[in-house]
């Protein structure tokens, strides 16, 4: 009985593991970005404090902002890639679990769920 319960919970545990790994990846990306941003900002303040010409200061500031933008874009792309990967893994897991359930029409609870979901689907489509 324990093994049967363990097997039935496996998809849920797999989903939790996918979410955990994705969250860890996103946190690591954000932490690295914040660290880089703080260090770059401190270096920029030091560099600007040593500049005597306004034109040079403006040029340094523009260069700094372009570097920060590039880093932010890179982090955002990596985050999106992590989220897309997680979505694909979760979708595959759900499709596999539903396929293992068999014919949905033979399950009364799924029929009831579909009755509930149809009005929600229609409402979501009309809201667009």
């Amino acid at each position: 009985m324990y093994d049967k319960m363990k097997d039935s919970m496996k998809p849920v545990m797999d989903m939790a593991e996918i979410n955990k790994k994705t969250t860890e990846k996103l946190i690591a990306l954000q932490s690295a970005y914040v660290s880089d941003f703080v260090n770059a900002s401190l270096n920029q303040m030091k560099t600007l404090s040593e500049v005597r010409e306004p034109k040079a200061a403006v040029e340094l500031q523009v260069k700094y902002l372009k570097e920060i933008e590039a880093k932010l874009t890179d982090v955002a792309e990596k985050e999106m890639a992590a989220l897309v990967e997680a979505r694909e893994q979760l979708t595959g897991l759900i499709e596999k679990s539903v396929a293992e359930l068999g014919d949905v029409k033979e399950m009364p609870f799924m029929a009831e769920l579909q009755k509930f979901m149809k009005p929600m689907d229609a409402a979501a489509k009309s809201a667009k």
Side-chain angles (χ1 to χ4, degrees):
M1 180 136 171
Y2 173 74
D3 288 338
K4 186 176 181 180
M5 177 64 123
K6 187 177 171 184
D7 288 343
S8 69
M9 291 301 292
K10 185 170 179 355
V12 175
M13 297 305 292
D14 290 345
M15 290 175 87
E17 186 64 25
I18 291 167
N19 286 333
K20 177 185 156 213
K21 287 180 180 179
T22 303
T23 301
E24 288 171 348
K25 186 181 271 186
L26 293 174
I27 289 171
L29 286 167
Q30 284 294 310
S31 295
Y33 175 74
V34 169
S35 178
D36 286 349
F37 178 77
V38 169
N39 290 332
S41 296
L42 292 173
N43 288 337
Q44 181 67 5
M45 283 192 278
K46 181 181 176 197
T47 302
L48 287 175
S49 69
E50 296 170 354
V51 173
R52 301 285 180 233
E53 295 293 321
K55 183 178 179 181
V58 169
E59 289 172 356
L60 286 171
Q61 191 65 14
V62 167
K63 179 183 174 192
Y64 165 75
L65 292 173
K66 286 182 180 180
E67 290 172 359
I68 292 296
E69 180 185 21
K71 287 179 184 177
L72 179 60
T73 301
D74 183 53
V75 169
E77 288 172 354
K78 289 177 181 177
E79 288 175 342
M80 287 303 298
L83 291 171
V84 167
E85 179 183 350
R87 184 191 70 205
E88 289 171 355
Q89 290 175 348
L90 290 169
T91 300
L93 186 63
I94 290 169
E95 288 173 350
K96 180 183 173 199
S97 295
V98 169
E100 289 174 356
L101 287 174
D103 189 9
V104 176
K105 294 176 184 174
E106 294 177 12
M107 298 176 207
F109 67 92
M110 290 301 283
E112 291 299 315
L113 181 63
Q114 286 179 337
K115 287 179 192 174
F116 175 73
M117 294 303 289
K118 282 182 184 178
M120 295 190 71
D121 286 342
K125 287 177 184 175
S126 67
K128 290 180 182 178

